mmCIF file of all heavy atoms in Angstrom:
data_model
loop_
_atom_site.group_PDB
_atom_site.id
_atom_site.type_symbol
_atom_site.label_atom_id
_atom_site.label_comp_id
_atom_site.label_asym_id
_atom_site.label_seq_id
_atom_site.Cartn_x
_atom_site.Cartn_y
_atom_site.Cartn_z
ATOM 1 N N CYS B 313 -5.411 13.073 3.695
ATOM 2 C CA CYS B 313 -5.478 11.838 4.484
ATOM 3 C C CYS B 313 -4.112 11.153 4.456
ATOM 4 O O CYS B 313 -3.495 11.006 3.419
ATOM 5 C CB CYS B 313 -6.544 10.904 3.916
ATOM 6 S SG CYS B 313 -6.481 9.229 4.579
ATOM 7 N N ARG B 314 -3.636 10.725 5.648
ATOM 8 C CA ARG B 314 -2.296 10.149 5.701
ATOM 9 C C ARG B 314 -2.307 8.652 5.985
ATOM 10 O O ARG B 314 -1.340 8.075 6.479
ATOM 11 C CB ARG B 314 -1.464 10.922 6.725
ATOM 12 C CG ARG B 314 -1.364 12.394 6.311
ATOM 13 C CD ARG B 314 -0.490 13.188 7.207
ATOM 14 N NE ARG B 314 0.905 12.778 7.169
ATOM 15 C CZ ARG B 314 1.853 13.316 7.935
ATOM 16 N NH1 ARG B 314 1.539 14.272 8.789
ATOM 17 N NH2 ARG B 314 3.091 12.886 7.868
ATOM 18 N N CYS B 315 -3.437 8.055 5.630
ATOM 19 C CA CYS B 315 -3.616 6.608 5.767
ATOM 20 C C CYS B 315 -2.410 5.801 5.251
ATOM 21 O O CYS B 315 -1.997 4.837 5.878
ATOM 22 C CB CYS B 315 -4.832 6.212 4.936
ATOM 23 S SG CYS B 315 -5.982 5.161 5.765
ATOM 24 N N VAL B 318 0.250 5.813 7.717
ATOM 25 C CA VAL B 318 -0.159 5.004 8.878
ATOM 26 C C VAL B 318 0.097 3.529 8.556
ATOM 27 O O VAL B 318 0.629 2.781 9.367
ATOM 28 C CB VAL B 318 -1.656 5.247 9.227
ATOM 29 C CG1 VAL B 318 -2.126 4.274 10.303
ATOM 30 C CG2 VAL B 318 -1.882 6.686 9.681
ATOM 31 N N CYS B 328 -1.734 12.650 12.045
ATOM 32 C CA CYS B 328 -2.557 13.169 10.949
ATOM 33 C C CYS B 328 -3.355 14.367 11.459
ATOM 34 O O CYS B 328 -4.062 14.253 12.461
ATOM 35 C CB CYS B 328 -3.510 12.091 10.441
ATOM 36 S SG CYS B 328 -4.747 12.753 9.313
ATOM 37 N N LEU B 330 -5.989 15.628 10.564
ATOM 38 C CA LEU B 330 -7.445 15.500 10.519
ATOM 39 C C LEU B 330 -8.001 14.569 11.599
ATOM 40 O O LEU B 330 -9.204 14.538 11.842
ATOM 41 C CB LEU B 330 -7.887 14.977 9.146
ATOM 42 C CG LEU B 330 -7.426 15.748 7.924
ATOM 43 C CD1 LEU B 330 -8.080 15.183 6.669
ATOM 44 C CD2 LEU B 330 -7.762 17.224 8.054
ATOM 45 N N PHE B 331 -7.106 13.817 12.239
ATOM 46 C CA PHE B 331 -7.544 12.799 13.208
ATOM 47 C C PHE B 331 -8.411 13.409 14.321
ATOM 48 O O PHE B 331 -7.968 14.314 15.031
ATOM 49 C CB PHE B 331 -6.319 12.096 13.809
ATOM 50 C CG PHE B 331 -6.659 11.032 14.825
ATOM 51 C CD1 PHE B 331 -7.323 9.879 14.460
ATOM 52 C CD2 PHE B 331 -6.308 11.202 16.159
ATOM 53 C CE1 PHE B 331 -7.634 8.898 15.396
ATOM 54 C CE2 PHE B 331 -6.606 10.226 17.105
ATOM 55 C CZ PHE B 331 -7.276 9.071 16.720
ATOM 56 N N CYS B 335 -11.849 14.153 10.559
ATOM 57 C CA CYS B 335 -12.021 12.716 10.304
ATOM 58 C C CYS B 335 -12.351 11.983 11.604
ATOM 59 O O CYS B 335 -11.540 11.950 12.533
ATOM 60 C CB CYS B 335 -10.739 12.173 9.691
ATOM 61 S SG CYS B 335 -10.831 10.423 9.263
ATOM 62 N N ILE B 341 -12.783 9.966 6.597
ATOM 63 C CA ILE B 341 -12.251 10.407 5.297
ATOM 64 C C ILE B 341 -11.498 9.258 4.634
ATOM 65 O O ILE B 341 -11.733 8.932 3.483
ATOM 66 C CB ILE B 341 -11.369 11.661 5.472
ATOM 67 C CG1 ILE B 341 -12.288 12.835 5.820
ATOM 68 C CG2 ILE B 341 -10.564 11.948 4.192
ATOM 69 C CD1 ILE B 341 -11.603 14.134 6.066
ATOM 70 N N GLY B 342 -10.623 8.627 5.393
ATOM 71 C CA GLY B 342 -9.861 7.511 4.825
ATOM 72 C C GLY B 342 -10.338 6.181 5.383
ATOM 73 O O GLY B 342 -11.003 6.142 6.424
ATOM 74 N N PRO B 343 -9.972 5.089 4.710
ATOM 75 C CA PRO B 343 -10.400 3.760 5.167
ATOM 76 C C PRO B 343 -9.831 3.370 6.528
ATOM 77 O O PRO B 343 -10.427 2.546 7.224
ATOM 78 C CB PRO B 343 -9.884 2.821 4.078
ATOM 79 C CG PRO B 343 -8.821 3.564 3.381
ATOM 80 C CD PRO B 343 -9.179 5.014 3.477
ATOM 81 N N CYS B 344 -8.677 3.955 6.914
ATOM 82 C CA CYS B 344 -8.100 3.616 8.224
ATOM 83 C C CYS B 344 -9.017 4.072 9.354
ATOM 84 O O CYS B 344 -8.894 3.608 10.484
ATOM 85 C CB CYS B 344 -6.736 4.266 8.405
ATOM 86 S SG CYS B 344 -5.524 3.704 7.213
ATOM 87 N N MET B 345 -9.919 5.016 9.054
ATOM 88 C CA MET B 345 -10.890 5.459 10.056
ATOM 89 C C MET B 345 -12.203 4.683 9.913
ATOM 90 O O MET B 345 -13.028 4.669 10.815
ATOM 91 C CB MET B 345 -11.136 6.965 9.894
ATOM 92 C CG MET B 345 -12.019 7.579 10.955
ATOM 93 S SD MET B 345 -11.420 7.320 12.649
ATOM 94 C CE MET B 345 -10.510 8.844 12.929
ATOM 95 N N CYS B 352 -6.600 4.103 12.723
ATOM 96 C CA CYS B 352 -7.269 5.363 13.101
ATOM 97 C C CYS B 352 -8.584 5.072 13.813
ATOM 98 O O CYS B 352 -8.908 5.690 14.826
ATOM 99 C CB CYS B 352 -7.521 6.237 11.867
ATOM 100 S SG CYS B 352 -6.012 6.673 10.987
HETATM 101 S S1 LIG C 1 -7.324 10.173 10.646
HETATM 102 FE FE1 LIG C 1 -8.595 9.998 8.803
HETATM 103 S S2 LIG C 1 -7.666 11.389 7.352
HETATM 104 FE FE2 LIG C 1 -6.145 10.992 8.933
HETATM 105 S S3 LIG C 1 -4.958 9.245 8.202
HETATM 106 FE FE3 LIG C 1 -6.590 8.409 9.446
HETATM 107 S S4 LIG C 1 -8.210 7.960 7.965
HETATM 108 FE FE4 LIG C 1 -6.816 9.362 6.930
#
Side-chain angles (χ1 to χ4, degrees):
Chain B
C313 168
R314 300 184 65 183
C315 227
V318 172
C328 169
L330 305 186
F331 180 66
C335 182
I341 289 178
C344 298
M345 186 56 95
C352 301

